[in-house]
Amino acid sequence: MAVCARLCGVGPSRGCRRRQQRRGPAEAAAADSEPDTDPEEERIEAGAAALAGAGGGRSAGPSSPPRCSLLELPPELLVEIFASLPGTDLPSLAQVCTKFRRILHTDTIWRRRCREEYGVCENLRKLEITGVSCRDVYAKLLHRYRHILGLWQPDIGPYGGLLNVVVDGLFIIGWMYLPPHDPHVDDPMRFKPLFRIHLMERKSATVECMYGHRGPHNGHVQIVKKDEFSTKCNQTDHHRMSGGRQEEFRTWLREEWGRTLEDIFHEHMQELILMKFIYTSQYDNCLTYRRIYLPPSHPDDLIRPGLFKGTYGSHGLEIVMLSFHGKHARGTKITGDPNIPAGQQTVEIDLRHRIHLPDIESLRDFNELSRIVLEVREQVRREQQQEGGPEDAAGLGRQSPQPCAEPPAEQAKGPGDGGAEAAAEPPAQSGQGQPFVLPVGVSSRNEDYPRTCRMCFYGTGLIAGHGFTSPERTPGVFVLFDEDRFGFIWLELKSFSLYSRVQAAFRNADAPSPHAFEEMLKNIQSLAS
C-alpha cells in the first residue's frame, strides 16, 4: 500500500482526506466528462465502496488519526489522478495491482494524455467505429513515433531541406517546407507531405509514402539512432509518371520554380536547375533525416533568431538559420546548393564592428562603400594579430573574432567603445532607421528591398567554386532592416541577398540546452564538409 501511495503522490495522512473533502463529489465527477459504463469498472467501484464500508466500521482511538488508502478512493477519482500523470508512467503504475491495471483501461485517461502531450484535439470517440481506442492511439502511434516529431534536415547532398514532423489530427505527417518561388522572398513558405503514419486498425500503425502524384502508398519509417531516422518507399512505381522523365521534370519545375524551362533564359541557371532535378531524383525512394533545433533566444539579441528565406542568385531562394553567439551572429544554411552546401555558415556578423553608412548619394557609389568596409577589415586583422591568431577560442571554427567596434571616420574611439555606441545609436532604439539604397552595380534578385535600415555591421560571406572548392570568406555588410528582414552585401560578388523571416510556428523544435544547439550546428557543418 505504501508503494501505491508513493506512485500517486497520495499518502496515508490527514492531507489525503482533506483533499477529498475539498474536491467534493461534484467536482470529481466533472473532471471526467464521460462517465464510464464499463461493467468491469462498475464492479471495481462497488468493490471499492465495500472496502470503504468495511473500513468505516472500525473504531479509531483518540490518538490514532483516520487513515486513507488509494484502494479506498472511488474509481472516478483514481481516473482523475491517473489521467494527470505522464503517459510514460502509466505502464509502471499498471503493475502495482489488479485494480490499477483495470482502471488504466479507461479511455478517458488516454484521451487526456493524447490531448495534453500531443495536442490531439479531434473527437476521439469516432475511433470506436473502427475498434481503435485512445489507448491504442497513444501507445501504437503517438508514443511509438514520438522521437521523430520536430524539425529535421534531409540528407540530399548539398541541397539539404527542412522537414517538419507533426501530429495532425489522428495522423503523424512529415511536411517538407519549401521556399517561395524566386525571387518573392516575402511570400509564405510552401509545403508538401512526404509521408504519413496513421492507425486504422488495432494491430499496428500504417506508414504511407506521399511522394509522387498517384496517392499514398506503402512506406516504412526506421529510427536509426538518437536524432536520426530514415524513410523508405516500398512502391517507387507510384513516383513515376506516364509521360516519362520529361513529364516528371516539367512537373517538378513548375512546383520548384513556378515556371517552365523556356521561361528561364539564363543558361547557367538552366544548368543548375537540371543538375538539381537529376541529383534529387536519386533520393525519391530512401531518405535519412537528422534533427535540427531552432536557435535559443536571449533578451540582448539584435533581433529574434530563427529561420529566414534568402535570395542566392541563380540558385534561387534558400533557407538560412540566424543564431546569436555573444557578440557574433551566424547564418547557417538549412538548404544549400553545389557551391555552398547545406550546413555551412553562409554569413557571419561581428556585432562589435558597426558600419556607418555615408549619405544616400555617397552610398550609391560602390567604391565608397567598398573603401569603408575594407578599412574595417584591416582593423579586424590588426586586432586579430594583437590577440594572437585568427581562430576563436570559443570554437567558432571558420569564424574570426573581431573584438572591438569600427568607429566612424570622423570620430575615433578606443577598443570596446563600439558596442556601447551601437546600443546608444538613436536609429537602433527609435526604430526610425536611416535611408538605404544599393550602390550602383550591385545586383539583387529582388528589387523590392526596404529603403530604410536600422543599422549595419561588418560581416563576412562564404563563397566557393562548384563542389565547394576553394572556399573563402570575403568581406561584406550585414544590413538590418527590421525585426523580420535583413540583407547582406557581398562586396566581391557585387551582389545583394535579401532575407525574410519564416513565419511559422514549430512544435518540438526547441533545443534542450544551448550546448545541444551548438553541437547540432557542429554536426551539420561537419557533414556538409
Side-chain angles (χ1 to χ4, degrees):
M1 196 61 62
V3 174
C4 301
R6 286 196 299 270
L7 283 170
C8 295
V10 180
S13 66
R14 293 183 180 181
C16 172
R17 188 172 298 277
R18 291 195 189 100
R19 281 192 291 271
Q20 295 179 60
Q21 292 171 353
R22 282 199 301 269
R23 175 180 290 274
E27 185 180 352
D32 188 357
S33 58
E34 297 167 355
D36 288 305
T37 57
D38 184 79
E40 184 66 16
E41 293 185 14
E42 291 182 352
R43 189 177 66 80
I44 293 174
E45 184 176 2
L51 283 173
R58 299 191 187 103
S59 59
S63 60
S64 59
R67 300 179 63 85
C68 177
S69 165
L70 277 179
L71 289 178
E72 296 176 349
L73 297 178
E76 63 269 18
L77 187 54
L78 290 176
V79 166
E80 175 67 16
I81 294 173
F82 295 169
S84 65
L85 299 176
T88 52
D89 293 345
L90 298 182
S92 299
L93 189 60
Q95 299 177 11
V96 173
C97 61
T98 303
K99 178 177 180 178
F100 285 6
R101 184 168 61 253
R102 290 171 178 167
I103 289 180
L104 284 170
H105 280 80
T106 306
D107 236 24
T108 304
I109 297 174
W110 300 100
R111 185 180 300 114
R112 179 171 168 182
R113 298 323 316 149
C114 290
R115 182 180 68 252
E116 294 186 358
E117 294 183 24
Y118 298 99
V120 178
C121 300
E122 302 288 323
N123 182 8
L124 299 180
R125 282 173 170 267
K126 62 185 178 183
L127 289 174
E128 299 174 1
I129 303 175
T130 60
V132 178
S133 66
C134 296
R135 184 186 182 194
D136 291 331
V137 172
Y138 185 94
K140 298 179 181 179
L141 178 66
L142 303 177
H143 181 71
R144 178 180 178 184
Y145 292 99
R146 69 192 184 280
H147 295 299
I148 70 171
L149 299 177
L151 290 179
W152 303 83
Q153 185 182 54
D155 183 7
I156 314 180
Y159 298 103
L162 180 64
L163 180 81
N164 186 26
V165 183
V166 300
V167 176
D168 189 350
L170 300 178
F171 292 84
I172 291 179
I173 303 180
W175 294 98
M176 180 69 85
Y177 276 65
L178 306 171
H181 293 140
D182 179 61
H184 307 292
V185 70
D186 286 325
D187 286 356
M189 294 284 286
R190 300 173 295 125
F191 43 87
K192 63 179 181 179
L194 289 191
F195 65 87
R196 71 180 186 183
I197 312 171
H198 60 113
L199 189 69
M200 298 305 293
E201 299 178 357
R202 297 194 63 135
K203 292 181 291 186
S204 62
T206 300
V207 179
E208 293 177 327
C209 176
M210 304 290 287
Y211 191 88
H213 299 270
R214 296 171 60 181
H217 45 283
N218 188 24
H220 177 70
V221 169
Q222 179 181 4
I223 300 177
V224 180
K225 58 183 180 180
K226 186 178 183 296
D227 296 334
E228 183 176 325
F229 78 98
S230 63
T231 58
K232 181 180 180 181
C233 176
N234 298 327
Q235 294 176 287
T236 54
D237 57 298
H238 281 65
H239 302 175
R240 308 280 81 88
M241 304 186 75
S242 58
R245 295 290 280 176
Q246 289 187 354
E247 182 182 359
E248 292 172 13
F249 173 68
R250 288 194 298 268
T251 302
W252 175 87
L253 188 59
R254 285 194 302 269
E255 293 178 350
E256 187 82 7
W257 290 83
R259 63 183 80 174
T260 64
L261 196 61
E262 292 74 20
D263 298 331
I264 302 173
F265 302 105
H266 198 290
E267 184 177 351
H268 179 56
M269 181 179 289
Q270 290 181 350
E271 294 175 355
L272 292 173
I273 290 174
L274 285 168
M275 185 187 309
K276 184 174 183 179
F277 171 73
I278 294 172
Y279 192 98
T280 56
S281 296
Q282 305 173 33
Y283 292 85
D284 65 347
N285 64 330
C286 186
L287 270 176
T288 299
Y289 305 87
R290 295 177 178 86
R291 184 179 294 280
I292 59 176
Y293 298 115
L294 293 178
S297 61
H298 306 281
D300 56 346
D301 288 341
L302 189 65
I303 60 173
R304 179 166 53 91
L307 298 175
F308 290 78
K309 306 153 286 183
T311 56
Y312 279 87
S314 299
H315 298 292
L317 299 187
E318 299 183 11
I319 304 174
V320 170
M321 177 184 291
L322 178 68
S323 57
F324 292 92
H325 311 264
K327 292 299 182 180
H328 291 81
R330 309 180 198 175
T332 304
K333 280 195 171 186
I334 302 302
T335 62
D337 52 67
N339 291 74
I340 308 297
Q344 289 294 336
Q345 294 172 16
T346 175
V347 296
E348 53 185 67
I349 305 100
D350 182 4
L351 301 177
R352 291 175 289 188
H353 283 82
R354 181 83 175 270
I355 297 289
H356 293 266
L357 299 178
D359 60 80
I360 197 68
E361 291 302 321
S362 299
L363 182 58
R364 296 181 187 274
D365 184 356
F366 177 80
N367 293 330
E368 176 64 15
L369 177 64
S370 179
R371 180 190 65 80
I372 295 174
V373 176
L374 293 180
E375 285 181 358
V376 179
R377 185 180 67 172
E378 288 304 314
Q379 180 185 352
V380 169
R381 287 179 176 176
R382 291 194 301 268
E383 292 166 357
Q384 289 175 348
Q385 292 173 357
Q386 292 174 2
E387 291 194 348
E391 291 297 322
D392 187 357
L396 294 179
R398 288 182 174 270
Q399 298 191 30
S400 301
Q402 298 132 0
C404 73
E406 163 67 5
E410 63 275 11
Q411 295 180 2
K413 292 184 178 293
D417 292 344
E421 178 200 6
E425 191 72 20
Q429 294 196 2
S430 65
Q432 296 176 357
Q434 62 186 101
F436 175 81
V437 66
L438 287 177
V440 176
V442 174
S443 62
S444 174
R445 295 287 296 173
N446 193 327
E447 294 297 332
D448 189 23
Y449 60 87
R451 293 309 194 265
T452 59
C453 68
R454 290 186 185 177
M455 58 182 75
C456 301
F457 293 91
Y458 173 78
T460 58
L462 183 62
I463 62 174
H466 186 85
F468 196 47
T469 56
S470 304
E472 62 173 320
R473 291 207 167 273
T474 60
V477 182
F478 172 84
V479 185
L480 178 63
F481 294 113
D482 51 43
E483 178 67 21
D484 297 323
R485 288 178 297 180
F486 65 88
F488 192 83
I489 301 176
W490 309 74
L491 286 189
E492 185 165 327
L493 302 178
K494 285 191 175 182
S495 177
F496 174 72
S497 292
L498 177 64
Y499 301 83
S500 178
R501 185 182 299 278
V502 174
Q503 301 289 356
F506 298 106
R507 296 189 61 181
N508 305 294
D510 295 330
S513 66
H515 175 73
F517 177 77
E518 295 289 345
E519 288 298 314
M520 181 272 298
L521 285 182
K522 292 180 182 177
N523 290 338
I524 63 175
Q525 185 176 9
S526 63
L527 292 170
S529 301

